[in-house]
Amino acid sequence: MFAVPLTEDAQLRPLEPWQAAEFLAHMDRAREYVDPWVPFASLSTDLESARAVLQRHADRRAADTGGIYGIWRGGVLVGGTLFVSLDARAGTGEVGCWLERSAEGHGLVTRAIRHMIDWAFHERGLHRVQWVNAAHNVRSAAVAQRLGMRLDGVLRSAFHYRGQRHDHQVWSVLADEWPPAATPAERGSTEPTPT
């Protein structure tokens, strides 16, 4: 299994169905905070449902249409990233993330998503990667901005959550706007890339 270092004590790794108990414990800590933004937070309420969520993402990775990765800090699962969609033939993908409140402020999500976008452009040949967030989720919008994404627009009243309609912001970055791939020497010859 690969592990991508994010900081001295944090790494990005695949999140697999066999890790359902750890994922459920993480969701139990994070659910209230991430539930408005991450649909599977409210779907992962017991071991069976947590395993089902992870299995759906594993199936999508196997089908080359998505994938889910965990962020571990100090050996504890504190968040994650995902390819919400991946369509290599069309050259497009969407990335997303979630993080426990206790892990915020360390640049973990920005580093992890940057790695994923770099892989999508330089290894998979995608042309466009997008990021979608609830318009009132300013922390998520800030990540998109730090990654150099541009705001494409706002989808008004795009989703329903707990009795209210909310707007979505859509951000994107194109391959020709992204920095060139680092050489093995620049990124360190031991740094793996997700597959």
Side-chain angles (χ1 to χ4, degrees), residues 134-179:
H136 59 281
N137 187 345
V138 295
R139 293 187 68 84
S140 187
V143 172
Q145 291 171 329
R146 281 194 296 276
L147 291 166
M149 293 185 159
R150 295 183 187 174
L151 180 62
D152 291 338
V154 175
L155 303 175
R156 296 177 303 139
S157 199
F159 72 104
H160 186 264
Y161 178 75
R162 295 191 180 175
Q164 294 184 357
R165 305 250 6 132
H166 300 273
D167 297 347
H168 268 162
Q169 291 178 332
V170 179
W171 302 79
S172 69
V173 62
L174 305 179
D176 61 3
E177 298 167 343
W178 195 252

Side-chain angles (χ1 to χ4, degrees):
M1 174 190 324
F2 77 81
V4 175
L6 301 175
T7 65
E8 278 188 22
D9 68 339
Q11 52 185 213
L12 179 71
R13 302 192 313 243
L15 193 49
E16 303 285 349
W18 62 268
Q19 296 165 306
E22 186 177 14
F23 178 67
L24 177 61
H26 159 62
M27 279 293 108
D28 287 344
R29 292 189 306 271
R31 185 174 295 106
E32 183 178 329
Y33 186 57
V34 303
D35 183 49
W37 328 115
V38 181
F40 56 74
S42 62
L43 300 176
S44 304
T45 56
D46 57 28
L47 195 56
E48 184 179 338
S49 60
R51 186 175 293 112
V53 164
L54 294 179
Q55 186 62 58
R56 274 193 301 278
H57 286 284
D59 293 345
R60 294 179 68 231
R61 186 168 48 245
D64 198 28
T65 61
I68 191 169
Y69 307 92
I71 296 174
W72 279 264
R73 184 169 181 239
V76 176
L77 180 63
V78 296
T81 62
L82 65 156
F83 280 105
V84 177
S85 65
L86 180 70
D87 186 338
R89 191 166 21 174
T92 61
E94 180 182 334
V95 291
C97 71
W98 74 96
L99 199 63
E100 289 181 21
R101 189 179 297 243
S102 65
E104 288 182 340
H106 302 281
L108 301 175
V109 164
T110 302
R111 286 184 185 99
I113 295 290
R114 182 172 283 124
H115 180 80
M116 292 173 65
I117 294 172
D118 196 61
W119 177 83
F121 287 146
H122 300 302
E123 297 293 325
R124 296 307 308 278
L126 267 60
H127 176 73
R128 180 181 190 277
V129 173
Q130 76 175 22
W131 172 279
V132 178
N133 61 268
H136 59 281
N137 187 345
V138 295
R139 293 187 68 84
S140 187
V143 172
Q145 291 171 329
R146 281 194 296 276
L147 291 166
M149 293 185 159
R150 295 183 187 174
L151 180 62
D152 291 338
V154 175
L155 303 175
R156 296 177 303 139
S157 199
F159 72 104
H160 186 264
Y161 178 75
R162 295 191 180 175
Q164 294 184 357
R165 305 250 6 132
H166 300 273
D167 297 347
H168 268 162
Q169 291 178 332
V170 179
W171 302 79
S172 69
V173 62
L174 305 179
D176 61 3
E177 298 167 343
W178 195 252
T183 66
E186 290 170 331
R187 71 174 182 263
S189 60
T190 61
E191 183 180 334
T193 56
T195 57

